[in-house]
Amino acid sequence: MNNIMSVIFASDQETKLNELTLHRTAASLPIFGRYRCIDFTLSNLVNSQITQIGIITRSNYSSLMDHIRMGRDWDLNRKNGGITVFPPYASNTTRSVFKGKIEALYGIMEFFEKASEEYVIITNSNVIANIDFDDVYAKHLEKGADITMLTYTSNPTTSKRVLLDLDKDSRVVGTRITQVASKEECEIGINVYLLKTELLIRLVRDTFERGFVDFEKNIIQQKSSELKIYSYHVNGHCALIDDVKSYYNESMKILQEQVRDDLFGVEGAKVYTKVKDSVPTRYRAHATVENSLIADGCDINGKVVNSILFRGVKVEEGAEITNSIIMENGRVMKNASLDYVITDKNVTVTEEKGISGTNSYPIVIVKNKTV
């Protein structure tokens, strides 16, 4: 869709993802055995022919650069359009990291001013969903909206979620930003917005010059009565990855057939990622696997139950892995046992070692560590 461009925030959740983002940005966080979080946002855009994409980085973005390779695997390495990556200090002359989305958008104003696209999608990179932006655009025009914000129904599992009050026509009449988690289901914004590029420029300039930096508070919340802001409800599976618990819980949901169908079974809506050539997984004589997702290149000779194994994981004889996520090139040695554990890339668990967390608090082992 040549009439729409997009800007993706690669980093907005690092503080709560703790050890998982010590060496990477939230956008490049591995998920589902072979993907990164940003893959879903990039694929949704490309599937709707949106090919002018800016990515605003904040910190630890070398792994993101290595993953996207200027967009080759999404057919975005092109002369016209494609991916533009903005460093975290692009927004000012002091080369300090931006304080909020508004400051970051203000710093790349030239990118918007030079663009020929009439509309822009502003989005975070931690949204796990299969979204049809063609339909979002159609509904935006149909409603005559100033801003369309994408939403889903859930309970806020963490703070800083944007909760919406809607009228019968799905217009936003009020917003609240959570301070604590809640079990009450409500309509939650997923930090994805469609609006005219010209309007975005005006809003960002006006709010930044008044000293404001928070997009959700200072634009969406404060201007909900002034602007026509409408909700677009995302059907099918939708999740936000913004802390360790949500990463674990949403990762494990991929073991459910309905969730896999919602994310990967939509016709004409493929999820793309960086292509890696690897050999098939080898299941040896003592291998037992139940209800698990096993990527290519693994070597299994132990027991794996209700778990996710990324590429190149080795499970030795007598080892037991349950309810766990083992990232790329992990090694679980003889007679070791893991339960409710997340191991980052290149982690080795030595012989006879037993590590156990809980569903509400999985243990995270940082990248390159031997335990």
Side-chain angles (χ1 to χ4, degrees), residues 52-66:
Q52 177 77 280
I53 300 171
I55 299 178
I56 297 177
T57 61
R58 191 183 185 97
S59 61
N60 294 331
Y61 55 92
S62 59
S63 65
L64 175 63
M65 299 292 292
D66 176 67

Side-chain angles (χ1 to χ4, degrees), residues 206-322:
D206 178 63
T207 50
F208 182 72
E209 288 168 1
R210 294 171 186 268
F212 299 124
V213 296
D214 191 305
F215 191 91
E216 278 71 35
K217 285 184 180 179
N218 304 128
I219 291 181
I220 299 302
Q221 189 174 46
Q222 292 185 7
K223 296 185 180 293
S224 60
S225 59
E226 174 186 335
L227 297 171
K228 292 184 289 185
I229 304 177
Y230 283 87
S231 161
Y232 177 94
H233 182 82
V234 177
N235 294 312
H237 185 72
C238 183
L240 299 181
I241 306 297
D242 49 13
D243 60 11
V244 173
K245 186 176 179 180
S246 63
Y247 172 77
Y248 177 81
N249 289 338
E250 296 303 332
S251 292
M252 299 308 288
K253 286 180 183 178
I254 201 64
L255 300 179
Q256 302 173 20
E257 184 177 1
Q258 185 59 56
V259 173
R260 294 196 299 273
D261 288 345
D262 285 348
L263 293 177
F264 301 106
V266 181
E267 187 175 353
K270 184 178 178 180
V271 181
Y272 301 92
T273 190
K274 180 180 178 180
V275 174
K276 290 185 178 181
D277 295 325
S278 56
V279 299
T281 287
R282 184 173 183 177
Y283 296 92
R284 296 181 182 269
H286 299 281
T288 302
V289 177
E290 299 175 17
N291 190 41
S292 296
L293 178 65
I294 312 291
D296 296 339
C298 294
D299 191 331
I300 313 296
N301 199 29
K303 185 175 182 179
V304 182
V305 179
N306 197 43
S307 295
I308 298 171
L309 273 56
F310 284 69
R311 293 183 174 103
V313 171
K314 294 184 179 180
V315 183
E316 296 186 0
E317 183 180 346
E320 292 191 12
I321 300 172
T322 57

Side-chain angles (χ1 to χ4, degrees), residues 117-221:
E117 291 81 5
E118 185 180 2
Y119 290 87
V120 58
I121 291 170
I122 305 296
T123 176
N124 284 356
S125 57
N126 67 327
V127 181
I128 307 301
N130 203 315
I131 298 169
D132 181 359
F133 282 116
D134 291 321
D135 192 53
V136 176
Y137 178 61
K139 293 293 194 301
H140 180 87
L141 296 180
E142 179 185 311
K143 297 282 188 183
D146 292 318
I147 300 175
T148 294
M149 58 185 301
L150 276 63
T151 66
Y152 76 126
T153 304
S154 185
N155 63 299
T157 57
T158 185
S159 61
K160 295 188 178 180
R161 294 282 174 89
V162 180
L163 311 186
L164 306 179
D165 297 320
L166 307 176
D167 67 13
K168 62 181 181 180
D169 196 34
S170 297
R171 181 169 177 174
V172 177
V173 294
T175 65
R176 295 161 288 144
I177 297 177
T178 59
Q179 301 303 313
V180 294
S182 169
K183 293 184 178 180
E184 181 183 352
E185 279 206 344
C186 49
E187 203 68 8
I188 301 176
I190 62 173
N191 303 309
V192 181
Y193 309 94
L194 171 65
L195 67 163
K196 281 192 172 182
T197 308
E198 180 184 5
L199 175 59
L200 177 71
I201 292 172
R202 177 166 61 82
L203 290 171
V204 168
R205 277 189 173 148
D206 178 63
T207 50
F208 182 72
E209 288 168 1
R210 294 171 186 268
F212 299 124
V213 296
D214 191 305
F215 191 91
E216 278 71 35
K217 285 184 180 179
N218 304 128
I219 291 181
I220 299 302
Q221 189 174 46

Side-chain angles (χ1 to χ4, degrees), residues 35-87:
Y35 297 93
R36 305 291 181 112
C37 283
I38 198 172
D39 292 344
F40 292 87
T41 297
L42 284 175
S43 298
N44 291 334
L45 294 170
V46 169
N47 288 334
S48 294
Q49 293 78 53
I50 299 169
T51 57
Q52 177 77 280
I53 300 171
I55 299 178
I56 297 177
T57 61
R58 191 183 185 97
S59 61
N60 294 331
Y61 55 92
S62 59
S63 65
L64 175 63
M65 299 292 292
D66 176 67
H67 178 68
I68 62 176
R69 299 185 290 187
M70 301 316 297
R72 184 172 71 189
D73 297 294
W74 297 265
D75 191 29
L76 289 170
N77 55 336
R78 51 182 69 201
K79 291 182 179 179
N80 297 316
I83 290 178
T84 304
V85 178
F86 297 101

